[in-house]
Amino acid sequence: MDDDASAQSAAPSAARSSAQSSAQSAARLLELLREGLPPEALLTDPQVTASYATDMASFCAAGTPAVVALPRTVEQVRHVMRTAHALRVPVVPQGARTGLSGAANASDGCLVLSLVKMDRILEIDTVDRIAVVEPGVVNAVLSRAVAERGLFYPPDPSSWEQCTIGGNIGTASGGLCCVKYGVTAEYVLGLDVVLADGRLLRTGRRTAKGVAGYDLTRLFVGSEGSLGVVVRAVLALRPAPPRQLALAAEFPSAAAACAAVCAVMEAGLTPSLLELMDRTTVRAVNALGKMGLPETTEALLLAAFDTPHAAADLAAVGELCAAAGATAVVPAEDEAESELLLQARRMSLTALEALRPATMIDDVCVPRSRLAEMLDGTAAIARAHDLLIGVCAHAGDGNTHPVVCFDPADEDEARRARASFDEIMALGLALGGTITGEHGVGVLKKEWLARELGPVGLEVQRAVKHAFDPEGLLNPGKLF
């Protein structure tokens, strides 16, 4: 038999051997997992496990998980990690999978570790103003629970009715109120984290102050499950503020609206919300929700205050908007009307998704002083690629969300969509910004993270990853 024939004969045999080895490995993995997990905590049906393969991001590769584990206790999570470490099986931690960067996407043969069943609020302390929660607690559920005790948990991502606290911590989520209250990282005081080898690490504190040692808590916030698995969090709370009052201001251009944003911030005002929707977004929201927003505007600015003198603060913002060129300034008449305006803003991404079969949602944050250049540049990119791109933005902190709407079945349009997405990120970096303000890196922005960090920054971050996870088992293929 010649060499070619031998090679052809050997190929099927090698494939069978590899398949047998994979099957044996999967069987051994399940055998060991079952020693510490109840039957209902393990999912193996391929049709079921496939539903855990991706988050909500487009253009992000995903593999096929070998098994999905749904632990309910810290000890069960530790058992999962010890087992995966012993067998060198990669682990992908997941929350509600509402992320937009592919950070929760499975890899082939991985163990998906879903934390959604760990959904208990363990403690709400009104004296120390903290909540202790498990990672599967839904953001809105926590917010309502602490509100009943006269307290306030500020981080409020647009997906707050579905997203979990663990996922918020993993991606360092933001929200509509960041302009006044900051992002998730400002509210995480301490964490219990299961490391790659199953050890339990406790970081941070319950106290109002504390500077002992390196700030490992902040290191885990935004690490996208690549350093450890968060199983408990101590969160800072605030006293509940007064209910918000809002206004809407119409502008003839994005530049005029951005000038108003800069004027508000320069005046030293502290809005609890300062949001912008471009014309495309306003029309999409009207089409989906029949909200009655003004479709003739090129940019709609929403401002809100939760201060004791909200009406007076809104009046000051209204004057600044008028000076910047607003064609109309409409204060809400009461709290109910204010809430309708906020619902319209929360609806933005869903409304834009309804315009075309698919979307790519950018998350570029720039200095407030460069916000107008970011929006004008995005509009130019949309024209250059003949694409529909709507922009909604947390304008008060410069965080823009250009949403590229396209049909993935149209190869040319999909190519142009991907090109426009990259050009928007390049624009953000050129304006002194960052490739992500709150959605994270995941799979979608790996290449761009390397560009933003530079070679030395990338080397240091990889060294941190190696220190916590030397075998590279936690969420492989994400970040870098």
Side-chain angles (χ1 to χ4, degrees):
M1 183 180 294
D2 60 31
D3 291 343
D4 288 345
S6 297
Q8 291 173 2
S9 175
S13 176
R16 284 193 299 272
S17 176
S18 176
Q20 290 170 355
S21 177
S22 297
Q24 291 169 355
S25 297
R28 179 60 175 160
L29 173 63
L30 284 172
E31 177 187 357
L32 293 179
L33 287 173
R34 285 172 177 142
E35 292 178 3
L37 293 173
E40 67 272 14
L42 290 171
L43 306 178
T44 58
D45 184 331
Q47 290 186 327
V48 176
T49 59
S51 67
Y52 288 81
T54 65
D55 62 15
M56 297 180 68
S58 301
F59 284 115
C60 291
T64 302
V67 60
V68 175
L70 295 131
R72 290 183 179 271
T73 69
V74 173
E75 186 50 43
Q76 287 177 1
V77 175
R78 297 187 67 187
H79 174 70
V80 168
M81 293 310 304
R82 285 192 293 259
T83 300
H85 187 262
L87 299 180
R88 298 298 187 266
V89 175
V91 176
V92 177
Q94 289 183 350
R97 292 181 291 110
T98 57
L100 295 165
S101 68
N105 283 12
S107 55
D108 281 332
C110 77
L111 188 163
V112 164
L113 179 55
S114 174
L115 285 307
V116 295
K117 299 295 185 182
M118 296 180 68
D119 59 356
R120 295 179 299 162
I121 298 174
L122 302 172
E123 181 183 354
I124 297 173
D125 188 320
T126 57
V127 174
D128 289 324
R129 295 179 182 171
I130 61 170
V132 182
V133 305
E134 293 182 326
V137 172
V138 171
N139 185 295
V141 171
L142 174 63
S143 296
R144 293 180 182 122
V146 301
E148 292 176 359
R149 307 288 295 276
L151 295 170
F152 175 43
Y153 181 66
D156 62 341
S158 294
S159 59
W160 77 312
E161 294 281 6
Q162 295 86 34
C163 64
T164 62
I165 295 298
N168 294 167
I169 292 170
T171 57
S173 297
L176 303 189
C177 69
C178 293
V179 61
K180 179 174 182 178
Y181 293 105
V183 296
T184 295
E186 272 73 62
Y187 297 90
V188 183
L189 297 177
L191 295 171
D192 285 5
V193 182
V194 176
L195 299 178
D197 58 6
R199 289 178 296 160
L200 182 63
L201 170 68
R202 179 159 291 170
T203 77
R205 63 195 194 280
R206 291 172 59 103
T207 56
K209 296 166 64 179
V211 293
Y214 295 130
D215 190 350
L216 296 182
T217 302
R218 278 290 187 110
L219 187 60
F220 282 102
V221 178
S223 65
E224 302 184 18
S226 65
L227 301 180
V229 181
V230 172
V231 290
R232 192 167 296 168
V234 181
L235 305 174
L237 305 175
R238 290 184 175 231
R243 295 292 298 271
Q244 294 187 109
L245 285 180
L247 68 71
E250 302 174 42
F251 289 89
S253 68
C258 293
V261 170
C262 292
V264 169
M265 302 310 295
E266 190 172 20
L269 296 167
T270 56
S272 53
L273 174 146
L274 195 55
E275 298 286 304
L276 183 148
M277 296 189 288
D278 71 355
R279 184 177 186 177
T280 299
T281 305
V282 168
R283 290 186 170 190
V285 168
N286 279 343
L288 182 67
K290 313 301 181 188
M291 302 297 289
L293 299 176
E295 295 194 355
T296 55
T297 184
E298 290 298 321
L300 186 69
L301 189 65
L302 304 180
F305 284 85
D306 58 7
T307 56
H309 308 289
D313 290 331
L314 282 178
V317 168
E319 292 177 4
L320 293 171
C321 288
T327 56
V329 178
V330 183
E333 293 185 0
D334 51 31
E335 293 175 6
E337 193 170 320
S338 295
E339 185 57 32
L340 281 175
L341 287 175
L342 304 191
Q343 286 180 16
R345 171 59 185 87
R346 287 189 184 279
M347 194 187 297
S348 294
L349 295 181
T350 303
L352 288 167
E353 287 170 352
L355 298 180
R356 300 287 285 157
T359 58
M360 292 188 71
I361 303 173
D362 241 316
D363 169 37
V364 176
C365 191
V366 298
R368 297 184 193 99
S369 57
R370 312 298 295 275
L371 187 58
E373 295 171 79
M374 184 68 206
L375 267 64
D376 287 344
T378 298
I381 291 169
R383 290 191 297 271
H385 289 282
D386 190 24
L387 288 167
L388 184 65
I389 301 179
V391 180
C392 51
H394 309 307
D397 52 27
N399 195 175
T400 67
H401 295 312
V403 181
V404 184
C405 308
F406 68 101
D407 183 356
D410 183 331
E411 291 185 7
D412 183 64
E413 188 170 82
R415 177 192 59 77
R416 287 183 279 121
R418 181 70 217 214
S420 71
F421 183 88
D422 287 341
E423 288 180 22
I424 289 168
M425 282 193 286
L427 173 64
L429 290 181
L431 293 175
T434 176
I435 60 167
T436 176
E438 57 187 10
H439 291 171
V441 175
V443 176
L444 191 61
K445 298 185 176 182
K446 287 171 58 175
E447 175 190 345
W448 287 97
L449 178 64
R451 297 190 194 188
E452 179 172 334
L453 294 178
V456 175
L458 194 61
E459 179 184 349
V460 171
Q461 297 227 357
R462 284 175 171 161
V464 171
K465 163 72 171 172
H466 183 77
F468 282 91
D469 181 20
E471 302 294 335
L473 298 179
L474 278 167
N475 218 5
K478 313 297 167 48
L479 291 171
F480 25 73

